[in-house]
Amino acid sequence: MAKTENFSPSPCVLIALYERLHAAYGPQHWWPADSSLEVVVGAVLAQNVAWTHVERAIARLKTSGMLSCEAILAVSHEELAERIRPAGYFNVKAHRLRNLCMFLAGEGGLEALVGRPTAVLRRALLAVNGIGPETADDILLYALDHPVFVIDAYTRRLLARYGLASGTEDYEILRAGFERALPADVALFKEYHALIVEHAKQVCRRPPRCDDCRLVTTCGRGGVA
DNA sequence: TACCAGGAGAAAA
DNA sequence: TTTTCTCATGGT
């Protein structure tokens, strides 16, 4: 399918899917981090790797006292790269972390961003080299509490398996589809994305397809499956 | 040993 | 404008 294909799920289907996932896995209380800055750092480190690798890298940053923008900007590239080595792509991610910390420092810190309009913040984050749409939206939703829906590989996989989308649609098409269909609720968006990840990890990785992937097909006349 | 995992940017076509 | 390549570790 073309990447420009429209994605306009009904609110009923998306709410039904959320409720089924919530019933199956319970509240997730994401993002797994002790601070907003840890969310920011984790969002960069999580690019294209499993979360277990990110945990190791964050633990190394913590134990060396480098989990702050000041520290990240103060150490050499080589030292930062060595600390985050377990997350993979360590040279690339060291550059990206420094770019992001320079941006935050220039803005007066992460706290200074609170209260700014979502669209303005999103544009600013996307202008940072190394920060793409998913990473920007991770930061907006989980670190700054803005109602943006995060689309990741798990979300695409789930949509494809449920027949709601091909999974190859443009990022913005999928994000807009979720945000049109759902109320702009930060807590809902956080839990929804976390539940998608949990479900994808636990169930939909099993080949060839899981029976549970039919869970959204019974939504009709406003009812919940 | 080979494959895969929660992206993004640059280069090439 | 779209596609391909590159970055890299660690678990299965």
Side-chain angles (χ1 to χ4, degrees), chain A residues 30 51 154 157 196-205:
Chain A
W30 264 36
W51 182 254
Y154 285 154
R157 194 180 306 164
I196 287 174
V197 172
E198 184 62 22
H199 178 67
K201 285 160 74 175
Q202 291 205 14
V203 180
C204 278
R205 213 183 281 173

Side-chain angles (χ1 to χ4, degrees), chain A residues 10-21 181-183 188 192 224:
Chain A
S10 79
C12 168
V13 165
L14 291 189
I15 292 296
L17 174 57
Y18 173 79
E19 291 182 345
R20 287 293 295 271
L21 292 172
L182 297 171
L188 172 66
Y192 209 142
V224 171

Side-chain angles (χ1 to χ4, degrees), chain A residues 30-31 36 39-40 42-44 46-47 51 122 125 131-146 148-152 171 190 193 197:
Chain A
W30 264 36
W31 182 287
S36 294
V39 173
V40 171
V44 174
Q47 291 172 351
W51 182 254
R122 194 166 192 272
L125 285 168
I131 305 302
E134 183 188 334
T135 308
D137 290 343
D138 277 335
I139 294 169
L140 285 170
L141 179 62
Y142 289 104
L144 295 168
D145 291 327
H146 285 256
V148 296
F149 201 94
V150 177
I151 305 297
D152 61 6
Y171 183 97
K190 285 182 177 179
H193 177 240
V197 172

Side-chain angles (χ1 to χ4, degrees), chain A residues 4-76:
Chain A
T4 53
E5 183 185 8
N6 189 31
F7 173 61
S8 299
S10 79
C12 168
V13 165
L14 291 189
I15 292 296
L17 174 57
Y18 173 79
E19 291 182 345
R20 287 293 295 271
L21 292 172
H22 192 270
Y25 304 111
Q28 300 296 304
H29 304 300
W30 264 36
W31 182 287
D34 296 330
S35 68
S36 294
L37 186 69
E38 190 176 327
V39 173
V40 171
V41 171
V44 174
L45 295 180
Q47 291 172 351
N48 208 33
V49 296
W51 182 254
T52 51
H53 296 190
V54 179
E55 289 177 324
R56 293 164 62 94
I58 287 183
R60 286 162 65 97
L61 287 174
K62 279 183 176 176
T63 56
S64 53
M66 287 168 57
L67 193 54
S68 71
C69 273
E70 294 76 14
I72 286 171
L73 292 174
V75 301
S76 67

Side-chain angles (χ1 to χ4, degrees), chain A residues 86-124:
Chain A
Y89 307 100
F90 50 83
N91 280 315
V92 170
K93 289 177 180 177
H95 279 298
R96 292 177 180 177
L97 277 179
R98 291 170 65 84
N99 288 341
L100 187 52
C101 283
M102 279 192 281
F103 163 74
L104 292 175
E107 296 295 320
L110 192 58
E111 301 75 18
L113 302 181
V114 173
R116 296 195 195 175
T118 302
V120 172
L121 269 180
R122 194 166 192 272
R123 273 196 299 274

